[in-house]
């Protein structure tokens, strides 16, 4: 699909306008939102590989992330357009010390697409902020994202704090360095490797 190839290229090179117009064209052509998401992930994965190989640096990664956000701005309403009142709610955030939000945003979007109410606390979210959000919103699920090995301890601290509260809320965790083994060790209720399986997991935790 030529449009999706253009989208992948726009993400790789951080071209915001191209990312936006390719996304708009793909949507007009009736492309499955999942295929558009796959193109975004492919572009961003390539950026990750080149960043690791020291071929590109933080500024290039940032423009790629912004191009991806432009595309996601158009994609989100399409995913959310189900119009049915959400039955379950999720509070999502990237853990304290961690500013990576692309994966978290994808998970949030997919959850909205699956008709969850999503309360997004953003990045660098403390245990206190999560516990305040539990009291305020009484969600079914808390979803924690971490992309740095150095912020995995924050994830553990937040899970400890939530598990010490008088609540039935279920905690799910994810992000590139997180494993099932780590999730089990810190007492999380679930782990998933990607945004699509995060939706399946959230459904299972709410059942
Ligand atoms: Co950073 N960064 N970064 N970075 N960055 C990584 C993560 C890194 C692996 C790159 C590398 O060096 N190889 C490395 C971490 C090393 C480690 O800890 N082992 C790293 C580093 C070191 C850093 C800095 C420390 C760099 C520096 O300043 N020296 C710094 C830290 C800042 C901070 O957070 N305090 C930093 C900064 C940045 C940018 C700001 C430049 C930018 C973030 C922009 C943004 O998010 N708004 C950035 C980016 C973009 C990356 C890479 C290139 C891409 C991450 C990404 O968005 N991937 C990344 C290298 C890589 O992963 N290839 C890297 C795409 C995204 C769709 O995937 O987030 O994995 P991901 O999400 C997936 C799954 O993991 C899962 O579903 C998603 C979709 O399938 N998932 C969940 C995620 N959360 C989930 C939650 C769930 C379930 C599933 O349930 C709750």
């Amino acid at each position: 699909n030529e449009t999706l190839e253009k989208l992948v290229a726009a993400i790789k090179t951080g071209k915001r306008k191209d990312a936006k117009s390719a996304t708009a064209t793909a949507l007009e052509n009736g492309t499955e939102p999942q295929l558009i998401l796959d193109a975004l992930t492919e572009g961003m994965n390539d950026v990750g590989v080149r960043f690791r190989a020291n071929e590109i640096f933080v500024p290039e990664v940032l423009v790629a992330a912004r191009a991806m956000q432009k595309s996601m701005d158009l994609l989100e309403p399409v995913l959310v357009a189900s119009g049915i009142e959400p039955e379950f709610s999720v509070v999502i955030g990237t853990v304290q010390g961690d500013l990576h939000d692309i994966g978290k945003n994808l998970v949030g979007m997919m959850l909205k697409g699956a008709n969850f109410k999503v309360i997004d606390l953003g990045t660098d979210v403390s245990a206190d902020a999560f516990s305040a959000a539990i009291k305020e919103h009484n969600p079914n699920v808390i979803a924690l994202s971490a992309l740095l090995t150095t912020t995995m301890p924050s994830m553990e601290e937040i899970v400890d704090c939530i598990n010490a509260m008088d609540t039935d809320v279920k905690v799910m965790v994810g992000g590139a360095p997180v494993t099932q083994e780590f999730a089990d060790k810190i007492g999380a209720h679930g782990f998933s490797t990607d945004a699509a399986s995060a939706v399946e997991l959230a459904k299972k935790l709410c059942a």
Side-chain angles (χ1 to χ4, degrees):
N1 180 324
E2 202 182 313
T3 310
L4 291 179
E5 277 167 25
K6 273 191 193 155
L7 179 57
V8 175
I11 301 301
K12 286 182 184 177
T13 51
K15 297 215 167 66
R16 269 182 256 186
K17 279 186 192 154
D18 291 359
K20 196 174 165 183
S21 67
T23 307
T25 307
L27 288 171
E28 278 158 23
N29 294 342
T31 311
E32 284 281 320
Q34 182 60 50
L35 293 177
I36 302 177
L37 273 179
D38 290 347
L40 297 180
T41 309
E42 184 186 332
M44 218 47 223
N45 279 343
D46 175 79
V47 169
V49 169
R50 285 184 291 139
F51 184 59
R52 264 199 300 277
N54 286 322
E55 287 168 20
I56 56 167
F57 302 96
V58 172
E60 286 93 336
V61 176
L62 274 179
V63 291
R66 287 198 196 120
M68 179 160 175
Q69 191 60 52
K70 283 285 168 210
S71 175
M72 279 164 54
D73 289 346
L74 294 180
L75 200 54
E76 185 164 2
V78 179
L79 290 172
V80 177
S82 61
I84 308 157
E85 206 45 39
E87 192 180 348
F88 300 113
S89 62
V90 179
V91 165
I92 191 168
T94 303
V95 303
Q96 189 157 33
D98 205 317
L99 301 174
H100 294 86
D101 66 358
I102 298 167
K104 167 193 68 71
N105 292 346
L106 268 178
V107 173
M109 273 172 62
M110 296 285 286
L111 285 167
K112 283 186 193 169
N115 202 35
F116 280 84
K117 180 181 177 191
V118 177
I119 300 128
D120 188 343
L121 303 183
T123 60
D124 192 16
V125 184
S126 66
D128 281 352
F130 276 108
S131 73
I134 292 171
K135 287 176 195 141
E136 186 182 344
H137 301 288
N138 190 24
N140 304 90
V141 174
I142 295 283
L144 306 177
S145 180
L147 262 287
L148 297 170
T149 45
T150 49
T151 56
M152 290 166 78
S154 306
M155 190 172 254
E156 180 165 14
E157 196 185 304
I158 293 164
V159 173
D160 281 349
C161 170
I162 296 169
N163 285 341
M165 290 173 75
D166 181 22
T167 164
D168 294 331
V169 75
K170 299 284 191 294
V171 188
M172 58 190 248
V173 295
V178 180
T179 60
Q180 181 68 56
E181 194 189 1
F182 178 75
D184 293 341
K185 184 186 142 245
I186 67 173
H189 299 100
F191 158 76
S192 72
T193 51
D194 57 54
S197 60
V199 171
E200 294 316 309
L201 175 62
K203 285 182 183 163
K204 213 171 81 187
L205 293 176
C206 290

